[in-house]
Amino acid sequence: MTTMSRTADGRIGAVSPMRHRDWMAASAEEYRRLGELVAGLTEADWQRRTDCAEWDVRQMVAHLVGNAEMSASMREMRRQQKLGRRLRPDGPEIDGMTAVQVSERADVPPEQLVRDLADVAVRAVRARGRIPAPVRAIPIRFGPPLGTRPLGYLMGCIYTRDAWLHRVDLARATGRPLELTPEHDGPIVADVVAEWAGVHGQPYRLTLTGPAGGTFTRGTDGEALTLDAVEFCRILSGRAAGAGLLTHPVPF
């Protein structure tokens, strides 16, 4: 496989960083891959534990369905926010919302979750894609770990990253093959690198291996790192331990 050289701001040669339409295309493809993965799970697979300590596979898919429902409707987002504050008043808002998503689907059988994910994925991408640029630019207080960000950052980047990393979680938990291609997964990882580089602001040379990888640099005489592209993202998400520059997290 040819390793592409990417710059610290996420560019691949002359290709610009991902825009809203790019995120929507990536999100649609990510949901397709997720759908294929969960449709092939066995009864035993749905009970396996995941890297997210509170969730087994069924609960993680329930979150993915609920999160997609939230991204498809601002009314549903506000409903989940309200219920989440009641359910977990002392924690981050996102923890309360994910708890709502999982608890409301506690009795939904796996086969229905598979159908629900396929249905809501289409609606979610369509709804997010229609949000006009002025609305996407509105700053929103999300609370930790996102802080204050434009709405478009949530609707484009974060929802796509969340689905992508949970697909990694599901593949790891069930031993299923993880479909990775430079065209789809490469730009998602490159965007993670760009945000990570902006967080720590130091020179570095990063070599990420695998189909989603590449070589990323900033400045000279920085820390040199070589690791698998997916593992890099798992470390920055808090799923695995890192050292040095890898202790700077990125939201997923």
Side-chain angles (χ1 to χ4, degrees), residues 79-198:
R79 187 190 73 85
Q80 290 188 20
Q81 286 174 324
K82 183 178 180 179
L83 292 178
R85 293 188 193 106
R86 294 178 186 172
L87 195 61
R88 297 199 177 179
D90 299 325
E93 185 172 75
I94 189 63
D95 287 353
M97 296 169 75
T98 56
V100 169
Q101 294 160 6
V102 173
S103 64
E104 288 186 337
R105 293 165 179 81
D107 298 323
V108 178
E111 59 271 20
Q112 184 62 51
L113 288 174
V114 172
R115 291 192 294 268
D116 290 346
L117 183 62
D119 171 68
V120 72
V122 176
R123 293 189 283 110
V125 174
R126 182 188 303 124
R128 288 155 53 197
R130 290 175 175 172
I131 301 174
V135 177
R136 298 199 306 269
I138 296 174
I140 304 292
R141 290 184 181 179
F142 295 110
L146 295 181
T148 299
R149 305 273 189 146
L151 179 63
Y153 175 76
L154 175 70
M155 293 294 174
C157 172
I158 290 300
Y159 280 138
T160 309
R161 278 186 194 169
D162 180 76
W164 182 84
L165 193 56
H166 283 321
R167 181 164 62 91
V168 172
D169 295 332
L170 292 169
R172 284 173 53 83
T174 62
R176 291 297 189 275
L178 179 62
E179 182 181 358
L180 295 171
T181 60
E183 295 78 14
H184 171 68
D185 306 274
I188 294 174
V189 172
D191 185 77
V192 173
V193 174
E195 186 163 351
W196 167 77

